[in-house]
Amino acid sequence: MRNLRTRLLTSHLVLVAIMGVVMTGAVVNFFRLGRSIDRILRNNYKSVVAAQDMKQALERQDSAATFLLAGQPAQARLQFQTYAARFEAAYQVEAHNITEPGEQQMADDIQRQFATYHRELAAFLYAAPPLPAVTARAIYFSRLEPGFVRLTQRAQDVLDLNQAAIVRADERAKRDARSVSLTAVAVTLAAFTLALCLAAVTVRASLAPLRSLALQAEEIGAGRLNQRIELQRTDEIGALAESFNHMAERLRQARKLEGERLRRAERMSDAALESLYDPVLVTDSEAQIVYLNPAAEGLFGSADALKTQEPARALGDPRISEAIARAIHQEHVTAAEDEAGLVTFRAGEATRTYRLRVSPMRDEEGGILGAAAVLEDITHLRELDRLKTEFIAVASHELRTPVTSLLLSVQLMEAGAVGRLTPEQAELVRVQRDDVERLDRMMRELLEMTRLEAGVTPPRFEITKPAALVSAAIAALGAERAGCGVPLLTAVPDDLPMVRADPEQAERVLVNLLTNALRHTPASGRVEVTAVTQPGCVRFEVRDTGAGIPPEYLARIFERFVQVPGATRGGTGLGLSIARMIVRAHHGEISATSTPGEGSVFSFTLPVAETKGVNDGPYTAG
């Protein structure tokens, strides 16, 4: 397998080699140019210096002749000896540094002429007896001075020849430098072009398959798993392409398995929905109906026909479409447990009752997909509840007469209508009276509860003051309040807004709450009743400092026959249930909070009265 790293390394080595060639050529030219300059300095410059030294030595020797003419023979001879030697030394340098054509001839002429000049000057300086002045001047101007001029000129010729050679060498060096520079630039440009081409070829050869690999990988990422990356390479890129192909194949297999699983789950889901006895309908996020199970189609019609209609019109009861809209927009389950969550439909001659529950459906990211509405058929439960209510009503009504007779009999016995009772008989009669009174109270409360459930005693709404309701309830407590000795505090402002309520039923609620509070509060405690304004309602609150309610019973305290173990006896377990039914009939809310050992707080609300009338609610004044 060819190695991509080897390929990249080879291309880089080629680039480094090109750079090495360019650098080597530049260094070689640099040294060649340096040697040319050194040759000029080594050859011609020595001849120039030697020629200048010869000229200087000749001038000093000519000065020695003039010293003799001036009458200074000793000084003349000393200078002659000194500069004759220097001339000879300079000449030897020149004689051994012949570099230019014709220079050897000039050196030979200088040697020959200097030999004649030296001999004649020596004879001139060392003549014995010394030459007369006239003769000496004649010899100097006729023979010595012309010889000096010829030698000086010949030395100047050597100097000119070598200076000209230096000028020519300088021009040649400049030409060489310019040539080297041009060559270096050309070689550099060529090397740069070659490096660019090589780099482009290498990059294209490396990146082109990667680009193709990336494009095909994007196709695979977009879900087109039938894509294959076809690269005829044996290096790392080829291995990567092969790995991508293996990955795509595994993804295809996984998608196939997932698709089969989803289809199986969809079939199971459809089968489960179709087998449900309760109607189920599914909507999209726009609240449009997309699915109905057979039970729902039996209730609303075929799904295909409903899909083209507005949900409210297709479903008949607007509460269903409203509950679906709330579930979608508010994103929480809509499932009222009271009468508001019940819808009825006629099926032939029968009327069926359903409890409506609507749940929003979300995707994996939490986005709303739609809603699923389930209509739980509770017709049989409603029928059982109706039968139970009728039984309790009949039983309560039928039992009330014998209970009243029993109570009357017990009261007559206590009054001595059948004779004086012994202390033991009086105690038995008292216990019997308490039980009969409790049974009578239970009968009355059961009868009242069944009437409320059956709608026999709807609220008779009036516009009344909250303070009047509290005052009437406290007055109704009568002897029960006086007998317990528990302080009862009130804080009900007289300027609270008027409420819309049935005074008798509202008083019934307050009396029930106050009776419970007084019954479960010790004499050292206190009971408070307050009323405050809240948006759209007045909130009544009864607070006591009794034993409180354990948390496990607090949630069930408004259910029928629920009594807290260890609580003060005397209640029937129906009072709070009746109070809740009355408050709900007034469109209010009732609740309780409690802290064991510190007391309880029961509160309920009544709606603020509106000025347009009192008979516009679901319950009308009788």
Side-chain angles (χ1 to χ4, degrees):
M1 180 178 69
R2 295 185 61 186
N3 195 304
L4 180 61
R5 185 182 64 178
T6 303
R7 180 176 298 177
L8 294 175
L9 183 60
T10 302
S11 64
H12 281 76
L13 289 176
V14 171
L15 292 176
V16 171
I18 293 173
M19 293 179 61
V21 170
V22 172
M23 293 298 296
T24 303
V27 171
V28 169
N29 287 327
F30 174 76
F31 280 107
R32 185 165 63 87
L33 184 60
R35 285 195 300 272
S36 176
I37 296 173
D38 181 66
R39 182 173 54 81
I40 293 171
L41 294 176
R42 186 177 64 249
N43 297 335
N44 298 97
Y45 184 73
K46 289 171 62 176
S47 297
V48 168
V49 173
Q52 289 177 342
D53 290 345
M54 286 190 295
K55 287 178 64 178
Q56 185 180 10
L58 287 172
E59 288 172 355
R60 293 300 181 183
Q61 293 178 70
D62 180 68
S63 297
T66 58
F67 281 145
L68 182 65
L69 293 177
Q72 298 179 6
Q75 181 65 28
R77 293 188 187 102
L78 177 61
Q79 185 161 319
F80 169 71
Q81 293 173 359
T82 301
Y83 286 97
R86 291 187 178 181
F87 181 87
E88 184 62 28
Y91 173 75
Q92 292 300 326
V93 172
E94 169 58 24
H96 293 85
N97 189 43
I98 303 301
T99 58
E100 300 299 326
E103 191 176 3
Q104 184 63 48
Q105 181 63 38
M106 293 177 184
D108 294 342
D109 291 345
I110 290 172
Q111 182 182 23
R112 184 176 61 257
Q113 291 178 13
F114 179 73
T116 303
Y117 179 74
H118 183 269
R119 183 176 62 254
E120 291 177 349
L121 182 57
F124 180 75
L125 294 176
Y126 293 98
L131 296 174
V134 176
T135 304
R137 282 195 294 274
I139 293 172
Y140 174 77
F141 287 108
S142 63
R143 302 188 58 175
L144 295 179
E145 197 272 343
F148 164 72
V149 171
R150 287 193 296 272
L151 275 173
T152 303
Q153 182 58 47
R154 210 52 179 168
Q156 183 63 40
D157 292 341
V158 173
L159 179 61
D160 293 341
L161 179 63
N162 283 278
Q163 285 181 340
I166 289 175
V167 171
R168 289 194 303 274
D170 179 65
E171 292 296 333
R172 186 168 57 254
K174 289 180 179 177
R175 288 195 301 273
D176 292 344
R178 187 162 48 251
S179 175
V180 167
S181 299
L182 293 176
T183 302
V185 170
V187 171
T188 302
L189 289 176
F192 183 71
T193 303
L194 180 60
L196 285 179
C197 294
L198 182 60
V201 170
T202 304
V203 170
R204 186 181 300 108
S206 301
L207 295 185
L210 290 177
R211 191 178 298 110
S212 174
L213 189 64
L215 292 175
Q216 292 177 324
E218 290 179 358
E219 292 289 328
I220 294 175
R224 291 181 279 276
L225 301 180
N226 56 349
Q227 293 287 325
R228 282 190 59 83
I229 301 174
E230 301 295 343
L231 291 178
Q232 302 300 326
R233 300 172 66 108
T234 58
D235 54 8
E236 288 86 347
I237 296 177
L240 181 60
E242 189 63 24
S243 298
F244 263 93
N245 290 332
H246 287 312
M247 179 188 69
E249 181 62 26
R250 288 195 293 271
L251 288 175
R252 279 195 295 274
Q253 295 176 0
R255 170 182 281 187
K256 182 179 179 181
L257 294 175
E258 182 67 14
E260 293 177 353
R261 189 185 66 80
L262 289 177
R263 285 191 291 274
R264 185 168 57 254
E266 185 176 3
R267 289 194 297 271
M268 293 176 63
S269 176
D270 291 343
L273 290 175
E274 291 175 358
S275 63
L276 283 177
Y277 175 76
D278 295 325
V280 177
L281 57 91
V282 179
T283 70
D284 59 13
S285 60
E286 301 297 329
Q288 294 295 324
I289 298 172
V290 295
Y291 175 81
L292 286 86
N293 69 346
E297 287 184 336
L299 197 61
F300 301 108
S302 67
D304 295 336
L306 294 179
K307 289 178 181 177
T308 59
Q309 301 180 26
E310 289 292 331
R313 181 180 178 183
L315 300 175
D317 194 324
R319 288 179 294 176
I320 301 177
S321 57
E322 291 171 359
I324 293 173
R326 284 198 303 274
I328 293 175
H329 296 147
Q330 299 177 5
E331 300 185 5
H332 63 71
V333 177
T334 301
E337 297 296 335
D338 54 9
E339 296 291 330
L342 304 182
V343 293
T344 58
F345 292 95
R346 291 196 62 83
E349 297 297 328
T351 300
R352 305 199 69 83
T353 303
Y354 299 91
R355 185 179 300 282
L356 174 63
R357 289 187 174 87
V358 183
S359 301
M361 298 185 300
R362 296 180 174 86
D363 57 16
E364 295 179 352
E365 287 74 25
I368 292 296
L369 297 175
V374 179
L375 296 170
E376 181 186 4
D377 191 346
I378 60 171
T379 304
H380 62 293
L381 297 178
R382 296 283 290 180
E383 183 62 19
L384 289 175
D385 194 58
R386 186 186 63 80
L387 294 174
K388 180 193 66 179
T389 301
E390 288 181 358
F391 171 75
I392 293 175
V394 172
S396 300
H397 179 74
E398 295 299 329
L399 288 174
R400 189 172 184 184
T401 299
V403 169
T404 302
S405 299
L406 287 173
L407 183 59
L408 180 59
S409 301
V410 171
Q411 290 173 347
L412 289 173
M413 291 175 66
E414 282 188 319
V418 292
R420 178 181 295 276
L421 301 178
T422 65
E424 291 79 7
Q425 292 173 335
E427 179 63 20
L428 290 174
V429 171
R430 187 189 63 78
V431 172
Q432 184 178 9
R433 184 203 61 193
D434 292 342
D435 290 341
V436 173
E437 286 179 348
R438 181 170 176 271
L439 182 60
D440 177 66
R441 190 163 52 250
M442 180 179 293
M443 292 299 103
R444 284 187 283 108
E445 290 183 347
L446 283 172
L447 187 59
E448 182 179 0
M449 186 177 65
T450 55
R451 288 174 177 175
L452 288 172
E453 288 181 342
V456 177
T457 56
R460 297 175 181 272
F461 287 113
E462 296 179 9
I463 297 176
T464 184
K465 297 179 65 174
L469 295 175
V470 174
S471 298
I474 293 176
L477 293 175
E480 186 173 358
R481 174 195 173 192
C484 66
V486 178
L488 176 58
L489 308 177
T490 60
V492 182
D494 193 55
D495 57 350
L496 290 174
M498 305 289 277
V499 295
R500 180 174 177 269
D502 182 332
E504 184 178 349
Q505 293 188 355
E507 177 186 332
R508 175 77 173 88
V509 175
L510 280 168
V511 168
N512 183 274
L513 298 181
L514 288 171
T515 301
N516 287 340
L518 292 171
R519 184 182 301 158
H520 298 98
T521 302
S524 58
R526 68 179 186 278
V527 174
E528 298 176 3
V529 56
T530 61
V532 294
T533 304
Q534 289 187 343
C537 66
V538 173
R539 183 181 187 85
F540 297 83
E541 190 172 279
V542 176
R543 180 187 301 271
D544 66 64
T545 58
I549 304 171
E552 61 270 23
Y553 285 93
L554 188 60
R556 303 173 49 229
I557 198 64
F558 291 103
E559 296 180 3
R560 299 172 187 174
F561 304 110
V562 172
Q563 290 186 323
V564 177
T568 304
R569 295 180 58 83
T572 61
L574 295 173
L576 290 177
S577 180
I578 293 173
R580 182 173 65 174
M581 295 175 65
I582 293 174
V583 172
R584 285 181 174 178
H586 283 71
H587 302 286
E589 296 179 353
I590 188 169
S591 61
T593 60
S594 181
T595 302
E598 296 183 5
S600 304
V601 179
F602 286 81
S603 60
F604 67 96
T605 61
L606 292 176
V608 173
E610 297 179 357
T611 57
K612 62 180 182 179
V614 297
N615 297 327
D616 52 352
Y619 296 93
T620 58

